[in-house]
Amino acid sequence: MNGVVTQRHMGPFLPEITAHSNKQRRSTQYSRMKQKKGSLQTGSLSDSQILSKTEIALFRSSRKQNICVEMLQEGYHRSFSELFGLLSSDQDRRIAAEPGSAVRLQTPLDEQWDKLETMRLHLCQAEQAERIGSWSVVCEQRLVLGQYFSAPEDLWLSFHFYHSCVDRKQGGCSRPATEARACMAELYLQQGELEQARQQAEQCIKQAEDGGWIDSAGRPLRLLARQALWRIYSRLADASLDAKDYNEALKLLHKGYSTAAESEDKQIEGEASYRLGLTYQNAGHHDTAKQFFNTCIQIYGTLQDEDKLGRSYMDMAKSLESEGNIDETVQCLNKLADISRNNGLQNNLVDAYLYLGNIYYTMGQYERACEYFLQGYEVACDLEDVALLQKAQVLVASARAHSLIRKYSADVVSATPTAVRRLLAWKETRGRQEISTDSTDNTAAVWY
């Protein structure tokens, strides 16, 4: 007889509670109620179709109430308390918000059934895992919720679930919690809370290195955290640069550069090097700036990023010119022009031509300067950029005027018969000829 009793009780005493069975049961209940409602309207309700108290409650109560009641009935009291607290927080936020504000215009959380159902599902799964001490699963469920609430109006919920994941004593150093820290660092960075972002990124790097964790997409978390930390240091340096505090800015950018170099992302490393070069240039340390611009040129040349490669050559030329290395400056700008011309980077090509023209203009070589200004003007015409076109026109006119004045003054000073004839010829024709910016054939053509 004992054997018979044992055999009868081999299966579980109560059915296992799963998200799938819960959803299937609720779907069945709602469909049954719809059928019974139709039977009531037609007067054909049979004894087997009589509504139970539970089904009547599901039909008459709001979905929020049904979800909360279900959580209590299934024994998930902590999940119910947390969900109820979040609904109260949402109500308080809406009351405190200004009339007409974005918070007031949002649909109340208790009316968004899909979000309530998602929270119910993962909170209950987290509580179930907590009962058996599976802390990594607890954090995984909360990480999923933090990532689910990614819309701007739901960031407060995202922060709540991320914090409930990383601030736990048990599981706070697990893989999901480490990934949650990386996500929080990005969110704090977006919100401009840079110190909070830095703390989360640094802690994420430490935990990721100790555990060798990867994120849900298979990317090493230590690298993702380093990429975020570089952006954080860069933003922190912006405030120092605005205040012209170059020493503090350089200190932060050097930390960012070290972090970027360890991120195994050459684009970020190139950007970090460029920012350091630019900051040293603005601080007047051109020799050090050139070292970082050279690093940029090597990185972007390897990556075949012609736009950023041209930008690096342009800034390298500025440092070379500041040191008086005109020949090297011209070489640098000619490289920029070649790269821009070969890759169709018309804006960079205009900049290169105008910069070269300015160098020759400064040296008093006005005819050579005019050649480069004219090339820049022609490219600006193709771009149909009015502001750039006007700038090029002014530079062409200025270079030509200086060239003419020099020749005119030389003829006046020499006063030779040939010079006097040129002066007289110019005087007789200057009022009858039109000035053309598209050709060197103008009122001063007698001197060319």
Side-chain angles (χ1 to χ4, degrees), residues 12-301:
F13 182 70
L14 292 174
E16 184 179 356
I17 298 173
T18 64
H20 178 73
S21 63
N22 290 339
K23 285 184 177 180
Q24 187 177 19
R25 186 180 65 204
R26 285 195 301 275
S27 176
T28 304
Q29 287 173 334
Y30 277 113
S31 62
R32 284 175 58 198
M33 286 189 294
K34 287 180 180 179
Q35 292 174 1
K36 291 177 181 180
K37 182 180 178 183
S39 299
L40 283 171
Q41 291 173 346
T42 60
S44 58
L45 182 65
S46 64
D47 293 339
S48 63
Q49 291 179 308
I50 296 175
L51 295 171
S52 68
K53 290 182 179 180
T54 302
E55 290 172 332
I56 292 172
L58 285 171
F59 186 75
R60 297 179 62 182
S61 303
S62 67
R63 287 186 170 181
K64 179 195 77 172
Q65 291 173 313
N66 291 330
I67 286 174
C68 290
V69 169
E70 183 178 351
M71 293 170 77
L72 290 173
Q73 287 176 337
E74 294 176 352
Y76 295 113
H77 298 89
R78 291 184 182 177
S79 300
F80 163 76
S81 297
E82 186 171 352
L83 178 59
F84 191 83
L86 290 172
L87 293 173
S88 298
S89 296
D90 181 64
Q91 187 176 13
D92 293 340
R93 288 172 64 251
R94 294 174 61 79
I95 293 173
E98 294 291 333
S101 64
V103 175
R104 282 286 187 92
L105 295 174
Q106 294 171 14
T107 303
L109 183 59
D110 58 9
E111 296 179 13
Q112 300 183 63
W113 181 81
D114 55 337
K115 294 179 181 179
L116 294 178
E117 177 60 24
T118 300
M119 284 192 286
R120 184 205 66 78
L121 173 63
H122 292 287
L123 285 175
C124 290
Q125 289 181 357
E127 186 173 346
Q128 180 67 27
E130 190 172 355
R131 290 171 183 171
I132 61 176
S134 183
W135 306 114
S136 180
V137 175
V138 173
C139 292
E140 185 71 46
Q141 296 301 316
R142 293 183 172 276
L143 171 64
V144 169
L145 285 171
Q147 294 172 331
Y148 174 78
F149 291 103
S150 59
E153 65 271 15
D154 293 332
L155 286 184
W156 69 281
L157 286 168
S158 186
F159 273 117
H160 168 82
F161 289 115
Y162 284 143
H163 270 295
S164 72
C165 182
V166 304
D167 295 341
R168 304 183 64 85
K169 290 183 180 179
Q170 296 95 347
C173 293
S174 63
R175 189 213 64 79
T178 304
E179 184 174 350
R181 287 193 185 278
C183 296
M184 286 179 67
E186 290 288 354
L187 284 182
Y188 276 125
L189 178 59
Q190 293 173 18
Q191 298 297 308
E193 299 181 35
L194 302 181
E195 286 301 328
Q196 288 277 10
R198 178 162 64 173
Q199 291 174 18
Q200 294 298 334
E202 289 174 346
Q203 185 65 22
C204 178
I205 291 172
K206 183 178 183 303
Q207 291 181 194
E209 286 179 339
D210 292 343
W213 306 121
I214 60 175
D215 72 352
S216 306
R219 299 168 297 180
L221 281 168
R222 62 183 178 82
L223 300 184
L224 292 178
R226 281 189 168 87
Q227 292 167 8
L229 190 57
W230 141 245
R231 290 190 291 271
I232 293 164
Y233 279 128
S234 183
R235 288 277 297 278
L236 286 167
D238 287 340
S240 299
L241 288 172
D242 291 340
K244 304 297 182 183
D245 187 353
Y246 293 114
N247 289 333
E248 182 62 24
L250 287 169
K251 186 189 303 182
L252 291 166
L253 289 174
H254 271 290
K255 288 182 179 180
Y257 179 74
S258 299
T259 303
E262 295 172 351
S263 73
E264 299 180 15
D265 187 324
K266 284 298 181 181
Q267 280 285 357
I268 290 179
E269 185 180 349
E271 190 63 28
S273 180
Y274 177 76
R275 288 217 64 186
L276 268 172
L278 207 59
T279 304
Y280 273 115
Q281 186 181 78
N282 292 333
H285 304 303
H286 295 287
D287 193 51
T288 309
K290 287 189 300 179
Q291 296 175 20
F292 286 103
F293 288 140
N294 268 324
T295 303
C296 292
I297 289 169
Q298 293 172 8
I299 291 174
Y300 291 132

Side-chain angles (χ1 to χ4, degrees), residues 194-413:
L194 302 181
E195 286 301 328
Q196 288 277 10
R198 178 162 64 173
Q199 291 174 18
Q200 294 298 334
E202 289 174 346
Q203 185 65 22
C204 178
I205 291 172
K206 183 178 183 303
Q207 291 181 194
E209 286 179 339
D210 292 343
W213 306 121
I214 60 175
D215 72 352
S216 306
R219 299 168 297 180
L221 281 168
R222 62 183 178 82
L223 300 184
L224 292 178
R226 281 189 168 87
Q227 292 167 8
L229 190 57
W230 141 245
R231 290 190 291 271
I232 293 164
Y233 279 128
S234 183
R235 288 277 297 278
L236 286 167
D238 287 340
S240 299
L241 288 172
D242 291 340
K244 304 297 182 183
D245 187 353
Y246 293 114
N247 289 333
E248 182 62 24
L250 287 169
K251 186 189 303 182
L252 291 166
L253 289 174
H254 271 290
K255 288 182 179 180
Y257 179 74
S258 299
T259 303
E262 295 172 351
S263 73
E264 299 180 15
D265 187 324
K266 284 298 181 181
Q267 280 285 357
I268 290 179
E269 185 180 349
E271 190 63 28
S273 180
Y274 177 76
R275 288 217 64 186
L276 268 172
L278 207 59
T279 304
Y280 273 115
Q281 186 181 78
N282 292 333
H285 304 303
H286 295 287
D287 193 51
T288 309
K290 287 189 300 179
Q291 296 175 20
F292 286 103
F293 288 140
N294 268 324
T295 303
C296 292
I297 289 169
Q298 293 172 8
I299 291 174
Y300 291 132
T302 302
L303 295 175
Q304 296 183 341
D305 190 334
E306 285 79 11
D307 187 32
K308 291 181 180 178
L309 180 61
R311 181 186 67 177
S312 301
Y313 272 120
M314 173 65 78
D315 288 296
M316 172 71 86
K318 292 177 182 177
S319 285
L320 288 168
E321 185 188 14
S322 298
E323 292 181 329
N325 298 327
I326 302 303
D327 290 340
E328 292 182 41
T329 303
V330 171
Q331 291 176 12
C332 206
L333 290 172
N334 280 325
K335 288 180 181 177
L336 169 60
D338 291 340
I339 293 170
S340 303
R341 191 185 306 107
N342 294 334
N343 293 280
L345 302 173
Q346 298 293 78
N347 281 294
N348 290 356
L349 186 57
V350 175
D351 292 339
Y353 283 145
L354 297 186
Y355 198 161
L356 282 164
N358 274 317
I359 288 175
Y360 287 110
Y361 185 93
T362 303
M363 293 189 298
Q365 299 182 30
Y366 300 117
E367 293 181 20
R368 190 71 181 275
C370 193
E371 292 175 10
Y372 282 111
F373 287 148
L374 276 171
Q375 291 181 71
Y377 168 79
E378 290 169 359
V379 178
C381 288
D382 295 336
L383 288 172
E384 299 182 356
D385 186 327
V386 175
L388 198 58
L389 188 62
Q390 291 174 342
K391 178 182 178 181
Q393 285 177 326
V394 170
L395 292 172
V396 170
S398 179
R400 281 184 170 173
H402 278 81
S403 178
L404 295 177
I405 290 171
R406 172 178 291 178
K407 293 178 178 181
Y408 176 85
S409 300
D411 279 346
V412 170
V413 171

